[in-house]
Amino acid sequence: MSTPLIEIKNMDVAYQKQLVLSNISLSVFEHDFIGIIGPNGGGKTSLVKAILGLLKPVGGSVKHSMNSWEIGYLPQGNQVDENFPITVKEVIASGLEHGLKMRLGTTKSRQHKVEKALETVGLKALHSRPIGELSGGEFQRTMLARAIISSPRLLILDEPDTHVDNQFETELYALLKELNKTITILLVSHDIGIISPYIKTIACVNRDLHYHASNEISEEQLKVYNCPIEIIAHGPVPHRVIKEHIHK
Amino acid sequence: MDLLHLFTYGFFQHAVVAALLMSVTCGIIGTYIVSRRMVFISGGITHASFGGVGIGYYLGFPPLAGAATVAVLAALITENLTRRKVMRNDSIIAILWSLGMAIGIIFVYLTPGYAPNLMSYLFGSIITVTSTDLWLMLALALTVTTVFTLLYRPILYVSFDEQFARIRGIPVMFINYLLIILVALTIVLSIRTAGIILVLSVLTIPQNISNLFTNRFSHIMIGSVVFGFFASLLGLVLSYYLDIPSGATIIFTLVVLYLVARLIKVVIFGR
């Protein structure tokens, strides 16, 4: 097998002195599309941050066979100040910045890439709008454009479908499927039902990690994996499979 | 006396130049402070610097040099302790804020005789700026303008989303420390003109006036320089004719300008 893009071995991650991930191993290969699922507080975001180098593991190792700026990243919505005085175009262009460059003005190729990214996410009309005046969906589109503008080798998305409209959700996953032809994707989600048709494999994260080499998973398996999430089934008739209450 | 005649006085010319330089520096640095929600940190640095003023008086070196040293030190300590999550950020600020004031008061008390100009450090005195002050202010205005012109993008990106900037390989620490030092120096040189008690207003009110009409970082910076200079000039003239303290008059003018701008916004733009 080829060398993995990311190779995590026996990694422990602590957040404010509390162990949130314990003895995790995961290899991410080119063209993977891994859905990272698990309960809230189970360590999904910490895993992402460890891969990005934003959190230092307290044990084990994370090896990259690429540079951090070859990763496109869409953070969880609450990470940035949504009233910061910055426009859609400026946010998207920040995905092209690399290292410390002193520059005045903009270049043709930079402008071209920004236009193309705006077009991809359907925000052409709003390019000069401050982010404070965007809807939840428009904001996520902006963040997605910032993540993909540099044509990254690996794309990591942390709950990209929070606060977005249904239309964007559908467009988003169709776009990701298209991008996955050339880009490796890690997608954090709380909703395995929605992402299931698009992802190739599943990683269940709840302090430990269980890798599941298929895009379908049953509730029994989730239980075995210590991954207590609700499975929300999506079909023509919306229904929801909710775990039985256990009475003691 | 007519207005034009006023501009022929040396002290008034100095004051006008000081107002211009202060507006440029504070307009730019204030936009950074307001956008990153660093107003409280800036208040801490401002008040901590009074410790340096006191030590300066006691040991007989220029109080402003003492203030600069302490302000930069307080800025670096705040930044460092916050980064390492040693303490709650607002608690660190509160401690440095009051510690600086306490040291200042003790040393001013210990200094034999009357401390001249002490009030001017607390409330500012733009009409008594010396040419040395003006040269220092010019140097800082040029430095700040150059840094923000050349590093505009990295500064904007780090301010907006530090983690993303780090992934993109932008030296986040370098930008943060460079900027907090510039914030400290801006505060100290503005103390000469606006005073410890009043300096926060020249770093925040012009920005909030601009922010009423634009939501772009660069436009807020430019607008703040313009509004800041306009209000300072108007405040200076008013303080002269009404024979009231210049620093306080400038702040008062800024607040009135803000209210007028709000009113204009409501009337013209309907919101």
Side-chain angles (χ1 to χ4, degrees):
Chain A
M1 221 179 220
S2 57
T3 26
L5 285 179
I6 307 276
E7 192 173 19
I8 302 173
K9 269 190 184 156
N10 309 106
M11 179 181 72
D12 296 328
V13 174
Y15 190 71
Q16 288 179 342
K17 284 176 188 156
Q18 271 209 318
L19 204 61
V20 285
L21 291 173
S22 156
N23 199 23
I24 297 250
S25 296
L26 177 71
S27 295
V28 181
F29 293 93
E30 207 106 35
H31 302 298
D32 273 356
F33 193 158
I34 307 177
I36 299 174
I37 59 164
N40 285 331
K44 299 189 296 284
T45 297
S46 297
L47 172 63
V48 162
K49 288 195 173 167
I51 292 173
L52 290 166
L54 296 171
L55 267 180
K56 269 217 162 70
V58 290
S61 64
V62 186
K63 267 193 223 150
H64 296 75
S65 59
M66 58 181 178
N67 293 310
S68 81
W69 57 83
E70 292 178 275
I71 305 177
Y73 173 48
L74 188 155
Q76 243 176 341
N78 56 10
Q79 189 187 299
V80 300
D81 176 1
E82 285 175 29
N83 285 312
F84 191 90
I86 189 168
T87 62
V88 168
K89 213 161 58 177
E90 286 172 322
V91 171
I92 295 175
S94 76
L96 286 172
E97 198 74 10
H98 168 208
L100 191 68
K101 303 244 164 62
M102 296 191 216
R103 249 180 325 202
L104 301 165
T106 180
T107 60
K108 270 244 162 70
S109 86
R110 195 179 167 95
Q111 256 175 324
H112 180 72
K113 282 178 183 161
V114 172
E115 302 259 323
K116 233 182 96 192
L118 279 165
E119 213 166 315
T120 309
V121 298
L123 282 178
K124 254 193 146 165
L126 303 180
H127 63 88
S128 289
R129 178 106 24 123
I131 56 156
E133 295 170 19
L134 299 177
S135 72
E138 289 160 354
F139 180 76
Q140 285 300 67
R141 280 166 205 255
T142 307
M143 300 306 265
L144 177 68
R146 180 182 75 164
I148 60 174
I149 190 173
S150 59
S151 316
R153 285 177 70 188
L154 172 66
L155 180 60
I156 302 181
L157 308 121
D158 197 348
E159 309 246 4
D161 53 4
T162 31
H163 310 300
V164 305
D165 47 285
N166 286 336
Q167 191 208 335
F168 175 59
E169 200 169 76
T170 317
E171 282 171 20
L172 168 72
Y173 291 120
L175 177 66
L176 291 183
K177 193 157 191 164
E178 183 62 33
L179 287 171
N180 185 228
K181 286 176 185 162
T182 50
I183 297 174
T184 310
I185 302 179
L186 287 182
L187 172 62
V188 174
S189 178
H190 56 272
D191 191 342
I192 175 74
I194 287 190
I195 65 170
S196 171
Y198 305 98
I199 57 176
K200 292 174 181 163
T201 55
I202 299 171
C204 296
V205 178
N206 186 20
R207 228 177 104 97
D208 46 12
L209 185 148
H210 290 274
Y211 187 70
H212 185 73
S214 136
N215 65 339
E216 297 202 5
I217 194 161
S218 69
E219 236 177 312
E220 283 63 43
Q221 277 164 320
L222 283 172
K223 230 176 260 168
V224 174
Y225 291 160
N226 178 31
C227 211
I229 57 160
E230 275 178 10
I231 291 190
I232 304 164
H234 298 268
V237 184
H239 64 285
R240 176 181 273 230
V241 184
I242 296 174
K243 281 189 297 280
E244 275 176 66
H245 291 282
I246 301 161
H247 297 281
K248 283 186 183 166
Chain B
M1 188 199 301
D2 69 89
L3 191 59
L4 284 177
H5 196 68
L6 190 56
F7 283 87
T8 61
Y9 286 117
F11 80 91
F12 198 79
Q13 287 168 354
H14 272 195
V16 171
V17 175
L20 177 65
L21 295 174
M22 177 177 75
S23 303
V24 170
T25 310
C26 290
I28 296 171
I29 289 292
T31 303
Y32 176 75
I33 290 173
V34 169
S35 303
R36 282 199 97 171
R37 300 179 192 268
M38 289 168 60
V39 175
F40 190 52
I41 296 177
S42 310
I45 296 171
T46 309
H47 287 79
S49 73
F50 186 64
V53 173
I55 297 172
Y57 269 122
Y58 185 72
L59 297 178
F61 60 81
L64 217 53
T69 313
V70 174
V72 170
L73 220 57
L76 295 178
I77 291 173
T78 312
E79 182 73 20
N80 187 269
L81 292 185
T82 309
R83 294 277 145 204
R84 294 195 294 131
K85 300 204 169 109
V86 176
M87 277 177 75
R88 285 170 193 274
N89 170 266
D90 51 351
S91 301
I92 303 166
I93 295 165
I95 292 170
L96 288 174
W97 181 309
S98 39
L99 177 67
M101 289 304 279
I103 291 173
I105 291 165
I106 291 171
F107 278 100
V108 167
Y109 176 80
L110 289 177
T111 308
Y114 172 69
N117 301 325
L118 184 61
M119 287 294 273
S120 81
Y121 286 102
L122 290 175
F123 298 104
S125 175
I126 198 169
I127 49 168
T128 61
V129 287
T130 61
S131 34
T132 314
D133 293 330
L134 289 180
W135 283 114
L136 287 172
M137 289 172 78
L138 176 67
L140 183 64
L142 289 176
T143 308
V144 166
T145 314
T146 311
V147 167
F148 271 80
T149 309
L150 292 179
L151 297 178
Y152 179 75
R153 275 190 205 140
I155 291 171
L156 181 69
Y157 301 158
V158 169
S159 305
F160 172 60
D161 188 347
E162 216 178 279
Q163 297 198 329
F164 190 83
R166 189 167 300 147
I167 295 165
R168 298 301 311 166
I170 300 173
V172 171
M173 284 299 136
F174 168 73
I175 298 280
N176 281 338
Y177 279 105
L178 173 69
L179 267 290
I180 199 78
I181 289 171
L182 288 180
V183 166
L185 293 177
T186 300
I187 287 170
V188 169
L189 286 189
S190 308
I191 284 175
R192 195 62 192 80
T193 48
I196 286 172
I197 315 277
L198 304 176
V199 70
L200 269 190
S201 56
V202 288
L203 289 165
T204 52
I205 305 175
Q207 285 69 22
N208 279 284
I209 298 173
S210 310
N211 201 195
L212 289 173
F213 303 105
T214 172
N215 224 331
R216 287 184 76 153
F217 196 83
S218 55
H219 294 179
I220 296 177
M221 283 197 314
I222 296 164
S224 302
V225 173
V226 175
F227 287 124
F229 184 53
F230 176 73
S232 313
L233 214 53
L234 191 63
L236 260 179
V237 173
L238 284 176
S239 79
Y240 182 81
Y241 283 110
L242 300 173
D243 195 19
I244 49 178
S246 57
T249 314
I250 291 172
I251 308 312
F252 197 76
T253 314
L254 273 170
V255 175
V256 171
L257 193 62
Y258 175 80
L259 293 174
V260 170
R262 259 225 110 108
L263 195 71
I264 289 174
K265 197 186 174 189
V266 170
V267 171
I268 295 178
F269 300 101
R271 60 186 166 120

